[in-house]
Amino acid sequence: MAMSHYRNFAIGLLAVTAICSGCKRSNPTSVTANVQTAQTSAADKTIETEIVATAPFAGMVAATGKVLVPEDRTAVIGPVNQGRIVKLYAGQGTRVRRGQRLAELESADIDQAEADYLKASADAENAKRSAAAEIKLAQQTYDRTKALYEKTVVPGKNMQSAEHDLEVAKANAENSLASTRVALTAARRHLLILGMTDSAIDALGKKPGLAATFALNSPIDGVVVERNATIGATVGTDASVFKIIDISRVWIDANVFEKDLQRVRVGQSVKVTTTAFPGTTFAGRVIFVNSVVDPDSRTVKVRTEVPNPDSRLKPDMFANVEIITDVASNAISVPQSAVLEDGGKSFVFVFVPEDKTYKKLQVQTGIKTGDRVEIVDGLKAGDRVVIKGNYLLLQQSKPE
């Protein structure tokens, strides 16, 4: 039986030699059920090995997704009052800062708003002066009555009346001041909503006349991606004049298969690649895992956030996402092609340099990433594992 097994193995190697364009054959030294020879030139050209070493190893889940603009980094800007555009300061592609003026609109409403503010400001100042005067008078009357009462010149009821008048004056003053403050705050807020800045509002009292224009300002830093405006056009409160996005950070919604969901959680690191920038990897993290499974694709939406300071990642761009799910700080890994399944168990072939043979070893696999798999048990650093040609060795290791 041993001679027959040896003869079959030699025939197999001769066939491989023919494929390898005339490689010379040399006889093997020994063959057993678990050991194969390494001394033929055909085997040397057919079989490839890799020396095992320990290194950090991370598992990952691969998915595809699309680049999105974060919802809190998008602004659609339009007027709160109908107006006619008289000046434009930004166009499509303009990079703007928060508070930067985008356009000026002419409207009669701004005249009324400024007039309302100036009136509220004057009312507040008058109320303040009147309250101070009323309290001062009531306080003087109270002090004079108190002095006469202490000298028994006036009866106690006069003292009580003076005290009552003082408290009423204080209450009236507080009520008047509060009322005018509310009106002034509302008028000021109206101007802010119309696009006027705090400094411009403060300077209204010094202006020689009222202006009939108000500004549209950017509420965020970003880039103007839409401008639906021309000078002279009248726009209403439902108009979208500018759209601004900030893509210094972007979202990528990846579709993860439900079978991989148990390995994914918020906070995990991600690596993102795109066809637009081959060889470039963008780093990010998982910020949200959806609770709903898509019934058609059997996937779950996993959202990642990725810094994008140079704006290379564009909205709606397709991306490949690798979610780092498991990390081993010191692990042994081999190419997945090195691991074979036989009889429901995992095996690898290892080259034994002492007698120049290949030995079949059972191994226990762990996490997988890309084309590599972690070997939890069965190999040690320094082992020389077969990564190509192991199917031939597996066939030759089986008894006839």
Side-chain angles (χ1 to χ4, degrees):
M1 177 64 71
M3 182 62 69
S4 173
H5 186 85
Y6 178 91
R7 187 162 46 251
N8 292 338
F9 177 68
I11 292 172
L13 289 180
L14 283 172
V16 174
T17 304
I19 295 174
C20 293
S21 302
C23 298
K24 292 182 179 179
R25 178 178 62 84
S26 59
N27 293 328
T29 57
S30 64
V31 179
T32 69
N34 290 324
V35 181
Q36 300 294 339
T37 184
Q39 290 196 1
T40 65
S41 61
D44 288 342
K45 292 188 177 183
T46 303
I47 296 173
E48 295 181 9
T49 61
E50 175 180 294
I51 298 176
V52 172
T54 58
F57 187 76
M60 65 89 179
V61 170
T64 58
K66 187 170 68 171
V67 178
L68 303 174
V69 182
E71 295 169 356
D72 58 350
R73 294 174 180 266
T74 302
V76 177
I77 303 151
V80 294
N81 284 295
Q82 180 174 300
R84 186 173 64 88
I85 298 174
V86 293
K87 288 184 180 179
L88 290 169
Y89 299 101
Q92 192 172 23
T94 303
R95 184 170 294 276
V96 296
R97 306 291 295 177
R98 180 178 180 180
Q100 183 173 328
R101 182 168 294 190
L102 305 174
E104 283 187 3
L105 286 82
E106 187 177 58
S107 173
D109 292 337
I110 194 69
D111 283 340
Q112 186 61 49
E114 289 185 359
D116 290 344
Y117 174 78
L118 291 175
K119 182 178 183 303
S121 180
D123 290 345
E125 188 63 31
N126 290 336
K128 184 178 179 181
R129 287 197 298 267
S130 297
E134 292 293 336
I135 292 175
K136 181 179 179 181
L137 178 60
Q139 185 69 52
Q140 290 174 344
T141 302
Y142 172 79
D143 293 340
R144 185 168 56 254
T145 303
K146 182 179 180 182
L148 294 174
Y149 171 75
E150 290 174 349
K151 295 179 180 179
T152 67
V153 176
V154 296
K157 64 178 182 179
N158 289 12
M159 176 64 184
Q160 292 174 354
S161 178
E163 186 175 8
H164 173 268
D165 292 343
L166 178 59
E167 292 302 321
V168 169
K170 289 180 178 179
N172 289 338
E174 183 176 348
N175 183 62
S176 178
L177 291 174
S179 178
T180 55
R181 276 197 301 267
V182 169
L184 181 60
T185 300
R188 186 182 188 92
R189 181 169 180 77
H190 189 193
L191 290 174
L192 289 172
I193 292 174
L194 288 174
M196 188 172 289
T197 63
D198 283 310
S199 58
I201 295 173
D202 292 337
L204 279 179
K206 302 176 182 178
K207 288 174 61 175
L210 299 178
T213 61
F214 65 94
L216 294 182
N217 299 322
S218 174
I220 62 171
D221 296 344
V223 176
V224 177
V225 292
E226 290 182 15
R227 191 187 79 177
N228 304 307
T230 55
I231 292 179
T234 298
V235 292
T237 56
D238 59 343
S240 172
V241 182
F242 293 94
K243 182 178 181 180
I244 298 173
I245 62 172
D246 175 11
I247 56 172
S248 59
R249 303 182 74 86
V250 296
W251 287 347
I252 299 177
D253 278 359
N255 300 310
V256 175
F257 288 104
E258 58 179 321
K259 66 181 179 64
D260 297 320
L261 188 59
Q262 62 178 346
R263 300 171 56 196
V264 178
R265 62 183 182 274
V266 172
Q268 288 174 327
S269 298
V270 299
K271 295 180 180 179
V272 176
T273 57
T274 63
T275 55
F277 304 103
T280 301
T281 300
F282 303 87
R285 64 184 182 89
V286 177
I287 62 171
F288 172 71
V289 179
N290 205 340
S291 302
V292 179
V293 177
D294 186 297
D296 296 324
S297 64
R298 310 308 304 172
T299 60
V300 175
K301 195 79 68 180
V302 175
R303 176 166 292 170
T304 65
E305 186 176 60
V306 180
N308 187 36
D310 52 6
S311 301
R312 283 190 290 177
L313 296 176
K314 310 296 185 184
D316 294 323
M317 182 181 286
F318 286 106
N320 297 310
V321 179
E322 293 184 356
I323 305 172
I324 310 303
T325 57
D326 315 280
V327 178
S329 59
N330 200 21
I332 287 175
S333 70
V334 297
Q336 292 193 36
S337 62
V339 181
L340 301 176
E341 298 294 326
D342 188 22
K345 298 179 180 179
S346 298
F347 292 91
V348 297
F349 281 93
V350 176
F351 177 62
V352 182
E354 290 79 12
D355 52 7
K356 295 182 173 56
T357 58
Y358 293 100
K359 187 175 183 180
K360 181 181 176 184
L361 296 178
Q362 183 178 345
V363 294
Q364 180 182 350
T365 60
I367 57 180
K368 299 178 181 179
T369 179
D371 63 345
R372 299 190 71 84
V373 58
E374 178 190 18
I375 302 300
V376 178
D377 187 38
L379 289 179
K380 63 182 183 299
D383 285 343
R384 195 177 193 96
V385 132
V386 176
I387 62 173
K388 182 180 179 182
N390 47 1
Y391 281 100
L392 173 63
L393 297 177
L394 179 62
Q395 293 300 318
Q396 296 302 322
S397 71
K398 293 181 179 180
E400 293 184 354

